Amino acid sequence: MSGKPPPGASVPRDRERAPHPLLERAYRSLEASDPRSQLVALRLLGRVPGCDPVRLVGPLKSPHAPVRLASVWALRDRTGRVVEEALLRALADGDYRVRALAAESLARGGGRAAQAAFSLSLSDPSAEVRIPVAWSLLQAGDPRGSATLDGLLKDPDPLIRRGTLATLAGYDDPRLAPWLVQGLSDPVDRVRREAVLGLGRLAPPGVDALLRPYLADPGERVRIAASVVAGQRRDRAAVKLLLDRYPLEPTGARPAFLVALGRIGDSRALPTLLHATEDPASWVVVAAVHALGELRSRKAIPRVRELLASPVRSVRGAAAEAIGRLNSRQDLPRLVKLLSDPETWVRHEASVGLGFLGSPRAAAPLRARLSDADPEVRLAAIWALGRVGDARSHPRLVALLEEAVKSYTETLGLAETLPEESTGSSVLAEREGALRLRGDAPQLLLDTLLLALAREGGRSPAGEAERLREALRKALASLVPGDADRPVLLPRMERIPRSQVPTRRALGEGWNDAGGRRGVPGAGRR
């Protein structure tokens, strides 16, 4: 598109300044006929607060539903008549996902456009469209909101009831807790599971006592969800219940109970966790070893050390990370040896374990892993070097940062898309009533390099520290407007509290960690 914007369109303040070259490429891609190019461009432009909303409206005419959905997503937080008119037109789209996102976007904006969205969407045949409108009405004190939610939770289709609870939990609004509590009595276990997880997320007063009985729910999925919440909330009052229930659980549910016991960190769990490392199911052993690492009892070291030689790769890898968390420095040579293991996962976990140990003696072998054939191993080595400290790795880390920025530029900033969980998530991620091993998305490479170099800058002499910060600032200058001010995406082994996660720009300016010092020399060592 070109020329003057239509009346009522919002015009960014920086329109007259030279646009970022990536934005120009994205605008050109919007005009292409290739839907994939349009999708990539919209995902980039949707993150940029100052881009021209008029140019984001055109893809709403695309015959491809994913492109139309991406167009609504890019418009969702923008204002102006053109935006409102486009979103109102999207309420008539043939794809329910487009209508749902348009309704939610208009509802958040308020005003007459929101009222029009309410009128059109409350009678929409798709529950996914009615849910966000009901939430917005509830916020406004309109009784139609409560009535709509009540109706959705009485729908005969359990998929609608389940989807309603999952969506409500995502709003992080404590006023929605009564509907989640209502879901606890649903006859279908998948619905009760969503209610348990949602209440754990909203955390209304008394939620721990409310959910403990669900550790003994007839539904396995519900018991797993209740144990996940107990672990996340470090509910010590749930420890006895978890220990009593564990022997009664089938093999598929046991890992969730073990991980919860590790997260809570109560020493009463040690005998059960040690016994679980003898389980014939390898996934139970992995969960037990991970939990022992979280528990940080040195009494667990001998057993975990034995498992470093396990023939099962997942067990061997879990033991390598746990040894690091247990701060067993005498096992450093064993972890270094595992850096040459033929299995990728083991090399990855050995790198992580060495990062937790934080010993300078690990620097040279970790530096060698920067050339590993597997990208996840390289990422883990970068993270570990940032914790260990290694001046000799600086040139290589800076070169890798330049390569990551080049990749960012070539992919319009989408080489580092947000993963499912980006902050401090466990090696064991709960999904649909099961636990699975989880690695680190390669998209995190850019932020992991920024984090490692910021930590190196904090422990380096003044001249070298300034050189590293200059490399960080140069990298940040290549990002599109707004991306430099986003919080970094943390690899799952990082333990920075959510409230203290720095922005990318903060890393480039000399990050002051919670300890109040520049950089993080050996931060997080256990």
Side-chain angles (χ1 to χ4, degrees), residues 130-189:
R130 301 197 301 273
I131 294 168
V133 173
W135 173 58
S136 299
L137 288 168
L138 191 70
Q139 288 180 304
D142 190 317
R144 290 180 295 173
S146 298
T148 302
L149 292 178
D150 288 340
L152 287 165
L153 289 181
K154 292 176 183 176
D155 193 284
D157 188 346
L159 291 178
I160 289 180
R161 303 197 301 273
R162 177 190 177 197
T164 299
L165 294 174
T167 303
L168 294 182
Y171 291 135
D172 289 328
D173 185 346
R175 288 172 293 187
L176 297 171
W179 285 275
L180 290 164
V181 171
Q182 184 178 333
L184 291 175
S185 58
D186 195 280
V188 177
D189 62 349

Short mmCIF file of all heavy atoms in Angstrom, two decimals, residues 130-189:
data_model
loop_
_atom_site.label_atom_id
_atom_site.label_comp_id
_atom_site.label_asym_id
_atom_site.label_seq_id
_atom_site.Cartn_x
_atom_site.Cartn_y
_atom_site.Cartn_z
N ARG A 130 -17.51 -16.76 21.90
CA ARG A 130 -18.33 -16.25 23.00
C ARG A 130 -17.52 -16.10 24.30
O ARG A 130 -17.83 -15.23 25.12
CB ARG A 130 -19.53 -17.18 23.24
CG ARG A 130 -20.43 -17.34 22.04
CD ARG A 130 -21.79 -17.89 22.40
NE ARG A 130 -21.74 -19.19 23.03
CZ ARG A 130 -21.72 -20.36 22.38
NH1 ARG A 130 -21.70 -20.37 21.06
NH2 ARG A 130 -21.70 -21.51 23.05
N ILE A 131 -16.51 -16.93 24.50
CA ILE A 131 -15.76 -16.89 25.76
C ILE A 131 -15.10 -15.54 26.01
O ILE A 131 -15.29 -14.93 27.08
CB ILE A 131 -14.73 -18.03 25.82
CG1 ILE A 131 -15.42 -19.39 25.87
CG2 ILE A 131 -13.83 -17.88 27.05
CD1 ILE A 131 -14.48 -20.56 25.64
N PRO A 132 -14.27 -15.00 25.09
CA PRO A 132 -13.63 -13.72 25.39
C PRO A 132 -14.64 -12.58 25.55
O PRO A 132 -14.41 -11.65 26.34
CB PRO A 132 -12.72 -13.48 24.18
CG PRO A 132 -13.25 -14.34 23.09
CD PRO A 132 -13.83 -15.53 23.78
N VAL A 133 -15.75 -12.66 24.83
CA VAL A 133 -16.77 -11.62 24.98
C VAL A 133 -17.41 -11.70 26.37
O VAL A 133 -17.64 -10.68 27.03
CB VAL A 133 -17.83 -11.76 23.87
CG1 VAL A 133 -18.99 -10.80 24.12
CG2 VAL A 133 -17.20 -11.49 22.52
N ALA A 134 -17.67 -12.92 26.83
CA ALA A 134 -18.24 -13.08 28.18
C ALA A 134 -17.30 -12.53 29.23
O ALA A 134 -17.74 -11.88 30.20
CB ALA A 134 -18.52 -14.56 28.44
N TRP A 135 -16.00 -12.79 29.07
CA TRP A 135 -15.02 -12.26 30.04
C TRP A 135 -15.04 -10.74 30.04
O TRP A 135 -15.01 -10.10 31.10
CB TRP A 135 -13.63 -12.79 29.69
CG TRP A 135 -12.54 -12.20 30.52
CD1 TRP A 135 -12.42 -12.22 31.89
CD2 TRP A 135 -11.39 -11.48 30.05
NE1 TRP A 135 -11.28 -11.58 32.30
CE2 TRP A 135 -10.62 -11.12 31.19
CE3 TRP A 135 -10.94 -11.13 28.79
CZ2 TRP A 135 -9.43 -10.40 31.08
CZ3 TRP A 135 -9.75 -10.42 28.68
CH2 TRP A 135 -9.02 -10.07 29.82
N SER A 136 -15.10 -10.13 28.86
CA SER A 136 -15.11 -8.67 28.78
C SER A 136 -16.37 -8.10 29.42
O SER A 136 -16.33 -7.07 30.10
CB SER A 136 -15.00 -8.22 27.32
OG SER A 136 -13.80 -8.69 26.75
N LEU A 137 -17.50 -8.77 29.19
CA LEU A 137 -18.75 -8.32 29.82
C LEU A 137 -18.65 -8.43 31.33
O LEU A 137 -19.14 -7.57 32.07
CB LEU A 137 -19.92 -9.14 29.30
CG LEU A 137 -20.34 -8.86 27.85
CD1 LEU A 137 -21.31 -9.92 27.36
CD2 LEU A 137 -20.97 -7.47 27.73
N LEU A 138 -18.03 -9.50 31.81
CA LEU A 138 -17.85 -9.67 33.24
C LEU A 138 -17.03 -8.53 33.82
O LEU A 138 -17.34 -8.00 34.90
CB LEU A 138 -17.17 -11.02 33.51
CG LEU A 138 -17.13 -11.50 34.96
CD1 LEU A 138 -18.53 -11.89 35.43
CD2 LEU A 138 -16.18 -12.68 35.09
N GLN A 139 -15.97 -8.15 33.12
CA GLN A 139 -15.14 -7.04 33.57
C GLN A 139 -15.94 -5.74 33.66
O GLN A 139 -15.69 -4.90 34.54
CB GLN A 139 -13.97 -6.84 32.61
CG GLN A 139 -12.90 -7.92 32.69
CD GLN A 139 -11.78 -7.66 31.71
OE1 GLN A 139 -12.01 -7.53 30.51
NE2 GLN A 139 -10.57 -7.56 32.23
N ALA A 140 -16.88 -5.58 32.73
CA ALA A 140 -17.68 -4.35 32.70
C ALA A 140 -18.86 -4.39 33.66
O ALA A 140 -19.63 -3.42 33.73
CB ALA A 140 -18.18 -4.11 31.27
N GLY A 141 -19.03 -5.50 34.39
CA GLY A 141 -20.15 -5.63 35.32
C GLY A 141 -21.46 -5.94 34.64
O GLY A 141 -22.53 -5.80 35.25
N ASP A 142 -21.41 -6.39 33.40
CA ASP A 142 -22.63 -6.71 32.64
C ASP A 142 -23.04 -8.15 32.99
O ASP A 142 -22.27 -9.09 32.81
CB ASP A 142 -22.34 -6.59 31.14
CG ASP A 142 -23.60 -6.67 30.30
OD1 ASP A 142 -24.45 -7.53 30.58
OD2 ASP A 142 -23.73 -5.87 29.36
N PRO A 143 -24.27 -8.36 33.46
CA PRO A 143 -24.70 -9.72 33.86
C PRO A 143 -24.70 -10.73 32.72
O PRO A 143 -24.71 -11.94 32.96
CB PRO A 143 -26.11 -9.50 34.42
CG PRO A 143 -26.56 -8.19 33.85
CD PRO A 143 -25.33 -7.37 33.70
N ARG A 144 -24.69 -10.25 31.48
CA ARG A 144 -24.64 -11.19 30.36
C ARG A 144 -23.34 -12.01 30.38
O ARG A 144 -23.31 -13.13 29.87
CB ARG A 144 -24.76 -10.44 29.03
CG ARG A 144 -26.14 -9.84 28.78
CD ARG A 144 -26.16 -9.11 27.44
NE ARG A 144 -25.27 -7.95 27.46
CZ ARG A 144 -25.01 -7.20 26.38
NH1 ARG A 144 -25.53 -7.52 25.20
NH2 ARG A 144 -24.20 -6.16 26.48
N GLY A 145 -22.28 -11.45 30.97
CA GLY A 145 -21.02 -12.18 31.05
C GLY A 145 -21.14 -13.43 31.90
O GLY A 145 -20.77 -14.54 31.49
N SER A 146 -21.71 -13.27 33.10
CA SER A 146 -21.88 -14.42 34.00
C SER A 146 -22.82 -15.46 33.39
O SER A 146 -22.56 -16.67 33.45
CB SER A 146 -22.44 -13.96 35.35
OG SER A 146 -21.54 -13.08 35.98
N ALA A 147 -23.90 -14.98 32.79
CA ALA A 147 -24.87 -15.90 32.21
C ALA A 147 -24.25 -16.71 31.07
O ALA A 147 -24.51 -17.92 30.92
CB ALA A 147 -26.08 -15.12 31.71
N THR A 148 -23.42 -16.06 30.27
CA THR A 148 -22.79 -16.76 29.14
C THR A 148 -21.83 -17.82 29.64
O THR A 148 -21.80 -18.94 29.13
CB THR A 148 -22.06 -15.75 28.23
OG1 THR A 148 -22.99 -14.77 27.76
CG2 THR A 148 -21.42 -16.46 27.05
N LEU A 149 -21.03 -17.48 30.65
CA LEU A 149 -20.08 -18.45 31.20
C LEU A 149 -20.82 -19.63 31.84
O LEU A 149 -20.40 -20.79 31.69
CB LEU A 149 -19.16 -17.78 32.21
CG LEU A 149 -18.16 -16.77 31.64
CD1 LEU A 149 -17.33 -16.15 32.75
CD2 LEU A 149 -17.24 -17.43 30.62
N ASP A 150 -21.89 -19.34 32.56
CA ASP A 150 -22.68 -20.42 33.16
C ASP A 150 -23.19 -21.37 32.08
O ASP A 150 -23.16 -22.60 32.23
CB ASP A 150 -23.86 -19.84 33.95
CG ASP A 150 -23.43 -19.16 35.24
OD1 ASP A 150 -22.31 -19.45 35.70
OD2 ASP A 150 -24.20 -18.32 35.75
N GLY A 151 -23.67 -20.78 30.98
CA GLY A 151 -24.18 -21.61 29.90
C GLY A 151 -23.10 -22.45 29.25
O GLY A 151 -23.33 -23.62 28.91
N LEU A 152 -21.91 -21.90 29.09
CA LEU A 152 -20.81 -22.65 28.47
C LEU A 152 -20.40 -23.84 29.33
O LEU A 152 -20.08 -24.92 28.82
CB LEU A 152 -19.61 -21.72 28.24
CG LEU A 152 -19.77 -20.71 27.10
CD1 LEU A 152 -18.70 -19.61 27.22
CD2 LEU A 152 -19.67 -21.40 25.75
N LEU A 153 -20.42 -23.66 30.66
CA LEU A 153 -20.02 -24.76 31.55
C LEU A 153 -21.13 -25.79 31.74
O LEU A 153 -20.88 -26.83 32.35
CB LEU A 153 -19.57 -24.19 32.90
CG LEU A 153 -18.22 -23.45 32.87
CD1 LEU A 153 -17.86 -22.97 34.26
CD2 LEU A 153 -17.12 -24.35 32.32
N LYS A 154 -22.31 -25.51 31.21
CA LYS A 154 -23.40 -26.50 31.24
C LYS A 154 -23.60 -27.15 29.87
O LYS A 154 -24.52 -27.96 29.70
CB LYS A 154 -24.70 -25.83 31.70
CG LYS A 154 -24.67 -25.38 33.15
CD LYS A 154 -25.94 -24.63 33.52
CE LYS A 154 -25.88 -24.11 34.95
NZ LYS A 154 -27.08 -23.29 35.30
N ASP A 155 -22.76 -26.78 28.93
CA ASP A 155 -22.89 -27.33 27.58
C ASP A 155 -22.72 -28.85 27.63
O ASP A 155 -21.85 -29.36 28.36
CB ASP A 155 -21.83 -26.71 26.66
CG ASP A 155 -22.11 -27.00 25.20
OD1 ASP A 155 -21.85 -28.13 24.76
OD2 ASP A 155 -22.59 -26.10 24.50
N PRO A 156 -23.51 -29.60 26.90
CA PRO A 156 -23.37 -31.06 26.94
C PRO A 156 -22.06 -31.58 26.35
O PRO A 156 -21.69 -32.72 26.61
CB PRO A 156 -24.57 -31.55 26.11
CG PRO A 156 -24.99 -30.38 25.29
CD PRO A 156 -24.66 -29.17 26.09
N ASP A 157 -21.38 -30.77 25.57
CA ASP A 157 -20.12 -31.19 24.96
C ASP A 157 -18.96 -30.94 25.93
O ASP A 157 -18.66 -29.79 26.24
CB ASP A 157 -19.88 -30.42 23.66
CG ASP A 157 -18.67 -30.95 22.88
OD1 ASP A 157 -17.87 -31.71 23.46
OD2 ASP A 157 -18.52 -30.57 21.71
N PRO A 158 -18.28 -31.99 26.42
CA PRO A 158 -17.18 -31.78 27.37
C PRO A 158 -16.01 -31.01 26.76
O PRO A 158 -15.26 -30.36 27.49
CB PRO A 158 -16.76 -33.20 27.77
CG PRO A 158 -17.28 -34.08 26.68
CD PRO A 158 -18.51 -33.43 26.18
N LEU A 159 -15.86 -31.07 25.45
CA LEU A 159 -14.78 -30.30 24.82
C LEU A 159 -15.00 -28.80 24.98
O LEU A 159 -14.05 -28.04 25.15
CB LEU A 159 -14.66 -30.67 23.34
CG LEU A 159 -14.16 -32.08 23.03
CD1 LEU A 159 -14.14 -32.33 21.52
CD2 LEU A 159 -12.76 -32.29 23.60
N ILE A 160 -16.26 -28.37 24.92
CA ILE A 160 -16.57 -26.95 25.12
C ILE A 160 -16.34 -26.57 26.57
O ILE A 160 -15.77 -25.51 26.87
CB ILE A 160 -18.02 -26.65 24.67
CG1 ILE A 160 -18.09 -26.73 23.14
CG2 ILE A 160 -18.46 -25.28 25.18
CD1 ILE A 160 -19.48 -26.46 22.59
N ARG A 161 -16.76 -27.41 27.49
CA ARG A 161 -16.54 -27.10 28.92
C ARG A 161 -15.04 -27.04 29.21
O ARG A 161 -14.57 -26.13 29.90
CB ARG A 161 -17.22 -28.16 29.80
CG ARG A 161 -18.71 -28.30 29.55
CD ARG A 161 -19.41 -29.02 30.68
NE ARG A 161 -18.92 -30.36 30.93
CZ ARG A 161 -19.34 -31.47 30.32
NH1 ARG A 161 -20.28 -31.39 29.37
NH2 ARG A 161 -18.86 -32.66 30.65
N ARG A 162 -14.31 -28.00 28.68
CA ARG A 162 -12.86 -28.02 28.90
C ARG A 162 -12.20 -26.79 28.28
O ARG A 162 -11.36 -26.13 28.90
CB ARG A 162 -12.28 -29.30 28.30
CG ARG A 162 -10.78 -29.41 28.39
CD ARG A 162 -10.31 -30.59 27.56
NE ARG A 162 -8.88 -30.71 27.55
CZ ARG A 162 -8.20 -31.42 26.65
NH1 ARG A 162 -8.84 -32.08 25.70
NH2 ARG A 162 -6.89 -31.49 26.71
N GLY A 163 -12.56 -26.47 27.04
CA GLY A 163 -11.97 -25.31 26.37
C GLY A 163 -12.30 -24.01 27.08
O GLY A 163 -11.47 -23.09 27.14
N THR A 164 -13.50 -23.92 27.63
CA THR A 164 -13.89 -22.71 28.37
C THR A 164 -12.98 -22.51 29.57
O THR A 164 -12.46 -21.41 29.82
CB THR A 164 -15.36 -22.82 28.82
OG1 THR A 164 -16.20 -22.93 27.67
CG2 THR A 164 -15.76 -21.59 29.63
N LEU A 165 -12.76 -23.57 30.35
CA LEU A 165 -11.92 -23.46 31.54
C LEU A 165 -10.47 -23.13 31.16
O LEU A 165 -9.82 -22.30 31.82
CB LEU A 165 -11.97 -24.76 32.34
CG LEU A 165 -13.33 -25.11 32.96
CD1 LEU A 165 -13.29 -26.49 33.60
CD2 LEU A 165 -13.74 -24.06 33.97
N ALA A 166 -9.96 -23.77 30.11
CA ALA A 166 -8.59 -23.50 29.70
C ALA A 166 -8.42 -22.05 29.27
O ALA A 166 -7.42 -21.40 29.58
CB ALA A 166 -8.19 -24.44 28.57
N THR A 167 -9.41 -21.52 28.55
CA THR A 167 -9.33 -20.13 28.10
C THR A 167 -9.43 -19.17 29.27
O THR A 167 -8.68 -18.18 29.36
CB THR A 167 -10.45 -19.84 27.09
OG1 THR A 167 -10.34 -20.75 26.00
CG2 THR A 167 -10.34 -18.42 26.56
N LEU A 168 -10.34 -19.43 30.20
CA LEU A 168 -10.51 -18.55 31.36
C LEU A 168 -9.23 -18.49 32.18
O LEU A 168 -8.83 -17.41 32.66
CB LEU A 168 -11.67 -19.03 32.23
CG LEU A 168 -13.07 -18.95 31.60
CD1 LEU A 168 -14.11 -19.42 32.61
CD2 LEU A 168 -13.38 -17.55 31.12
N ALA A 169 -8.56 -19.62 32.36
CA ALA A 169 -7.33 -19.63 33.15
C ALA A 169 -6.27 -18.75 32.50
O ALA A 169 -5.44 -18.14 33.18
CB ALA A 169 -6.81 -21.05 33.29
N GLY A 170 -6.28 -18.68 31.17
CA GLY A 170 -5.27 -17.89 30.47
C GLY A 170 -5.42 -16.40 30.66
O GLY A 170 -4.49 -15.64 30.36
N TYR A 171 -6.57 -15.94 31.15
CA TYR A 171 -6.77 -14.51 31.35
C TYR A 171 -6.14 -13.99 32.65
O TYR A 171 -6.05 -12.77 32.85
CB TYR A 171 -8.26 -14.16 31.35
CG TYR A 171 -8.92 -14.32 29.99
CD1 TYR A 171 -10.15 -14.95 29.87
CD2 TYR A 171 -8.31 -13.85 28.84
CE1 TYR A 171 -10.76 -15.11 28.63
CE2 TYR A 171 -8.91 -14.01 27.60
CZ TYR A 171 -10.13 -14.63 27.50
OH TYR A 171 -10.73 -14.79 26.28
N ASP A 172 -5.74 -14.89 33.55
CA ASP A 172 -5.12 -14.49 34.81
C ASP A 172 -5.98 -13.47 35.57
O ASP A 172 -5.47 -12.50 36.15
CB ASP A 172 -3.71 -13.91 34.57
CG ASP A 172 -2.73 -14.98 34.16
OD1 ASP A 172 -2.88 -16.12 34.63
OD2 ASP A 172 -1.80 -14.68 33.39
N ASP A 173 -7.27 -13.68 35.57
CA ASP A 173 -8.20 -12.77 36.25
C ASP A 173 -8.82 -13.51 37.43
O ASP A 173 -9.61 -14.45 37.24
CB ASP A 173 -9.28 -12.33 35.26
CG ASP A 173 -10.23 -11.28 35.86
OD1 ASP A 173 -10.22 -11.10 37.09
OD2 ASP A 173 -10.97 -10.65 35.09
N PRO A 174 -8.51 -13.11 38.67
CA PRO A 174 -9.04 -13.83 39.85
C PRO A 174 -10.56 -13.88 39.90
O PRO A 174 -11.13 -14.76 40.54
CB PRO A 174 -8.47 -13.03 41.04
CG PRO A 174 -7.28 -12.32 40.48
CD PRO A 174 -7.60 -12.02 39.06
N ARG A 175 -11.24 -12.94 39.21
CA ARG A 175 -12.70 -12.95 39.22
C ARG A 175 -13.29 -14.18 38.53
O ARG A 175 -14.46 -14.50 38.70
CB ARG A 175 -13.23 -11.68 38.54
CG ARG A 175 -13.03 -10.42 39.36
CD ARG A 175 -13.40 -9.20 38.58
NE ARG A 175 -12.47 -8.97 37.46
CZ ARG A 175 -12.48 -7.90 36.67
NH1 ARG A 175 -13.38 -6.95 36.89
NH2 ARG A 175 -11.61 -7.76 35.69
N LEU A 176 -12.46 -14.87 37.77
CA LEU A 176 -12.92 -16.05 37.05
C LEU A 176 -12.82 -17.34 37.87
O LEU A 176 -13.25 -18.40 37.43
CB LEU A 176 -12.12 -16.20 35.75
CG LEU A 176 -12.28 -15.05 34.76
CD1 LEU A 176 -11.29 -15.19 33.62
CD2 LEU A 176 -13.70 -14.99 34.22
N ALA A 177 -12.24 -17.22 39.07
CA ALA A 177 -12.05 -18.41 39.91
C ALA A 177 -13.34 -19.17 40.19
O ALA A 177 -13.34 -20.41 40.19
CB ALA A 177 -11.35 -18.02 41.22
N PRO A 178 -14.48 -18.53 40.44
CA PRO A 178 -15.71 -19.30 40.73
C PRO A 178 -16.09 -20.28 39.62
O PRO A 178 -16.60 -21.36 39.91
CB PRO A 178 -16.77 -18.22 40.93
CG PRO A 178 -16.00 -17.01 41.38
CD PRO A 178 -14.70 -17.08 40.64
N TRP A 179 -15.84 -19.93 38.37
CA TRP A 179 -16.18 -20.84 37.27
C TRP A 179 -15.20 -22.00 37.20
O TRP A 179 -15.58 -23.12 36.87
CB TRP A 179 -16.23 -20.07 35.95
CG TRP A 179 -17.47 -19.23 35.87
CD1 TRP A 179 -18.72 -19.63 35.44
CD2 TRP A 179 -17.63 -17.88 36.30
NE1 TRP A 179 -19.62 -18.60 35.55
CE2 TRP A 179 -18.98 -17.51 36.08
CE3 TRP A 179 -16.77 -16.93 36.84
CZ2 TRP A 179 -19.48 -16.24 36.37
CZ3 TRP A 179 -17.26 -15.67 37.13
CH2 TRP A 179 -18.60 -15.33 36.91
N LEU A 180 -13.96 -21.74 37.57
CA LEU A 180 -12.99 -22.83 37.62
C LEU A 180 -13.31 -23.78 38.77
O LEU A 180 -13.18 -25.00 38.64
CB LEU A 180 -11.58 -22.27 37.76
CG LEU A 180 -11.05 -21.56 36.49
CD1 LEU A 180 -9.85 -20.70 36.82
CD2 LEU A 180 -10.69 -22.58 35.42
N VAL A 181 -13.74 -23.23 39.90
CA VAL A 181 -14.16 -24.07 41.02
C VAL A 181 -15.36 -24.93 40.60
O VAL A 181 -15.45 -26.12 40.94
CB VAL A 181 -14.52 -23.21 42.25
CG1 VAL A 181 -15.16 -24.06 43.34
CG2 VAL A 181 -13.27 -22.51 42.78
N GLN A 182 -16.26 -24.33 39.84
CA GLN A 182 -17.41 -25.09 39.34
C GLN A 182 -16.94 -26.27 38.49
O GLN A 182 -17.53 -27.35 38.53
CB GLN A 182 -18.29 -24.15 38.51
CG GLN A 182 -19.57 -24.76 37.99
CD GLN A 182 -20.41 -23.73 37.23
OE1 GLN A 182 -20.32 -22.53 37.46
NE2 GLN A 182 -21.22 -24.21 36.29
N GLY A 183 -15.87 -26.09 37.75
CA GLY A 183 -15.35 -27.15 36.90
C GLY A 183 -14.78 -28.33 37.66
O GLY A 183 -14.64 -29.43 37.12
N LEU A 184 -14.44 -28.13 38.94
CA LEU A 184 -13.90 -29.23 39.74
C LEU A 184 -14.89 -30.37 39.94
O LEU A 184 -14.50 -31.51 40.22
CB LEU A 184 -13.45 -28.71 41.11
CG LEU A 184 -12.23 -27.79 41.14
CD1 LEU A 184 -12.02 -27.26 42.55
CD2 LEU A 184 -10.99 -28.51 40.63
N SER A 185 -16.18 -30.07 39.83
CA SER A 185 -17.20 -31.11 40.04
C SER A 185 -17.71 -31.69 38.71
O SER A 185 -18.68 -32.46 38.72
CB SER A 185 -18.38 -30.52 40.82
OG SER A 185 -18.95 -29.41 40.13
N ASP A 186 -17.05 -31.38 37.61
CA ASP A 186 -17.48 -31.92 36.33
C ASP A 186 -17.28 -33.43 36.29
O ASP A 186 -16.29 -33.96 36.83
CB ASP A 186 -16.66 -31.26 35.21
CG ASP A 186 -17.28 -31.47 33.83
OD1 ASP A 186 -17.10 -32.57 33.25
OD2 ASP A 186 -17.96 -30.56 33.35
N PRO A 187 -18.18 -34.19 35.66
CA PRO A 187 -18.03 -35.65 35.63
C PRO A 187 -16.91 -36.15 34.72
O PRO A 187 -16.51 -37.32 34.83
CB PRO A 187 -19.40 -36.13 35.11
CG PRO A 187 -19.95 -34.96 34.34
CD PRO A 187 -19.45 -33.74 35.06
N VAL A 188 -16.36 -35.30 33.87
CA VAL A 188 -15.33 -35.72 32.92
C VAL A 188 -13.96 -35.32 33.45
O VAL A 188 -13.73 -34.16 33.81
CB VAL A 188 -15.57 -35.08 31.53
CG1 VAL A 188 -14.46 -35.46 30.55
CG2 VAL A 188 -16.93 -35.51 30.98
N ASP A 189 -13.03 -36.27 33.50
CA ASP A 189 -11.74 -36.00 34.14
C ASP A 189 -10.92 -34.95 33.39
O ASP A 189 -10.21 -34.16 34.02
CB ASP A 189 -10.93 -37.30 34.31
CG ASP A 189 -10.58 -37.96 32.98
OD1 ASP A 189 -11.13 -37.57 31.93
OD2 ASP A 189 -9.74 -38.89 32.99
#
